[in-house]
Amino acid sequence: MWSDVWSKGSKGSKGMKALWAIPLFFLTLTLRAQNTSEVYETASRPRVLALIGDRYHSPVYIRDNLIKAMVRENLPVTFIENVEALNSESLQKHGLLIILRDGMNWPDGYDKPHMKWMTDEQQQAIWDFVHNGGGFLALHNSQGLYPPNGLYYKLFGGDYGGHPKPNVFTVRVEDKSHPVTAGVEDFEIFDEQHTVKYFLDHEHLLLRSIARDNLAAAAGWWREMGKGRFCYLAPGHTPDALGHPMMQRLIRNAARWLLRLDDRQ
């Protein structure tokens, strides 16, 4: 083979160039194969704090599905269930906050009225965290039943609007040009369709949910506030919805955008 390469090239330098081209080509392929992703190029990765789990949403399936997304972006994540652990001190140690839980606690038991657990101090801590450059990924019912008219909802740009019982609906991509929706196609899931109240303009709308009876609602949006970024994604009540390949891609894309990882390349 090598003699054929030598002979087919013209005499002298042209033949030598042909001879060296093959090993260099395979060397390039080997180097590319070894460097599979830029996320593994440094040990300096931003940290993620995830508050998960409530009466209606097991922290187990939330943890297991968020881990899959975070590990593929090589992002170390700390999971907490204790709402008191969410404060300004814990937020200072992290670059991204994820919440998938509602605003209700039942300190006196489920047969007694619930209370809203988020304090004014916690709302201020999250507000300051985002405005000072942090990222906040709010998932599913993280907009549900928190203190009304507070900084938390002001940060959202939306409010709780209830939901019907779980059913099959389509998640439609409204903005295909935003980094959060890169590589995401419309997909169908069995989940709670949260009919959230959306207060921002169409520019910030990423996703819309559309049920088979034509019930439709905003299902994802983004915004920038101060030095930080916010993103809300509505699906996530069922393990299959949170683990759906398109939802996993949305979570990974959102984490990258919120942490400005692509800006650091």
Side-chain angles (χ1 to χ4, degrees), residues 125-253:
I126 297 172
W127 178 269
D128 292 342
F129 171 74
V130 173
H131 279 74
N132 290 331
F136 179 14
L137 175 57
L139 297 173
H140 188 51
N141 67 336
S142 57
Q143 40 71 32
L145 303 169
Y146 282 84
N149 304 316
L151 289 178
Y152 186 76
Y153 276 131
K154 186 176 180 180
L155 184 63
F156 259 77
D159 202 340
Y160 181 64
H163 59 80
K165 65 180 183 179
N167 63 97
V168 176
F169 59 88
T170 297
V171 178
R172 188 176 72 190
V173 179
E174 294 289 296
D175 184 355
K176 296 180 181 294
S177 64
H178 196 277
V180 172
T181 57
V184 177
E185 302 293 337
D186 297 354
F187 59 102
E188 191 174 72
I189 53 174
F190 176 81
D191 202 35
E192 273 184 351
Q193 183 187 14
H194 276 239
T195 53
V196 295
K197 300 174 183 177
Y198 177 65
F199 301 143
L200 304 179
D201 56 33
H202 191 268
E203 175 190 357
H204 294 90
L205 186 64
L206 296 172
L207 308 169
R208 186 180 299 277
S209 63
I210 306 174
R212 292 178 177 178
D213 63 359
N214 290 324
L215 177 66
W221 62 82
W222 66 274
R223 67 186 313 193
E224 296 184 271
M225 301 187 72
K227 298 178 181 179
R229 289 174 169 177
F230 169 88
C231 180
Y232 172 68
L233 303 173
H237 182 73
T238 66
D240 287 344
L242 196 60
H244 191 286
M246 291 296 100
M247 187 61 184
Q248 288 284 302
R249 170 55 62 186
L250 284 165
I251 293 171
R252 291 175 60 187
N253 287 350

Side-chain angles (χ1 to χ4, degrees), residues 31-229:
L31 290 174
R32 287 180 178 176
Q34 290 174 345
N35 184 23
T36 56
S37 176
E38 76 278 0
V39 303
Y40 303 122
E41 291 182 356
T42 174
S44 178
R45 302 295 291 173
R47 297 176 59 190
V48 181
L49 180 65
L51 175 63
I52 61 172
D54 56 44
R55 177 180 179 180
Y56 304 104
H57 302 81
S58 166
V60 176
Y61 88 88
I62 300 172
R63 177 203 64 200
D64 290 351
N65 283 289
L66 287 181
I67 282 177
K68 291 191 297 183
M70 294 300 103
V71 75
R72 282 167 173 76
E73 296 301 331
N74 200 19
L75 295 173
V77 54
T78 298
F79 294 97
I80 56 174
E81 297 178 50
N82 176 17
V83 297
E84 295 179 358
L86 177 61
N87 51 55
S88 58
E89 182 179 357
S90 60
L91 286 171
Q92 287 176 1
K93 302 173 184 177
H94 300 84
L96 174 63
L97 170 65
I98 300 176
I99 296 181
L100 199 166
R101 70 149 295 151
D102 60 28
M104 300 184 290
N105 265 352
W106 282 263
D108 300 319
Y110 292 142
D111 59 337
K112 303 294 183 182
H114 72 268
M115 61 165 287
K116 291 179 171 59
W117 60 264
M118 185 173 281
T119 65
D120 291 344
E121 290 75 17
Q122 287 174 311
Q123 294 191 67
Q124 187 69 57
I126 297 172
W127 178 269
D128 292 342
F129 171 74
V130 173
H131 279 74
N132 290 331
F136 179 14
L137 175 57
L139 297 173
H140 188 51
N141 67 336
S142 57
Q143 40 71 32
L145 303 169
Y146 282 84
N149 304 316
L151 289 178
Y152 186 76
Y153 276 131
K154 186 176 180 180
L155 184 63
F156 259 77
D159 202 340
Y160 181 64
H163 59 80
K165 65 180 183 179
N167 63 97
V168 176
F169 59 88
T170 297
V171 178
R172 188 176 72 190
V173 179
E174 294 289 296
D175 184 355
K176 296 180 181 294
S177 64
H178 196 277
V180 172
T181 57
V184 177
E185 302 293 337
D186 297 354
F187 59 102
E188 191 174 72
I189 53 174
F190 176 81
D191 202 35
E192 273 184 351
Q193 183 187 14
H194 276 239
T195 53
V196 295
K197 300 174 183 177
Y198 177 65
F199 301 143
L200 304 179
D201 56 33
H202 191 268
E203 175 190 357
H204 294 90
L205 186 64
L206 296 172
L207 308 169
R208 186 180 299 277
S209 63
I210 306 174
R212 292 178 177 178
D213 63 359
N214 290 324
L215 177 66
W221 62 82
W222 66 274
R223 67 186 313 193
E224 296 184 271
M225 301 187 72
K227 298 178 181 179
R229 289 174 169 177

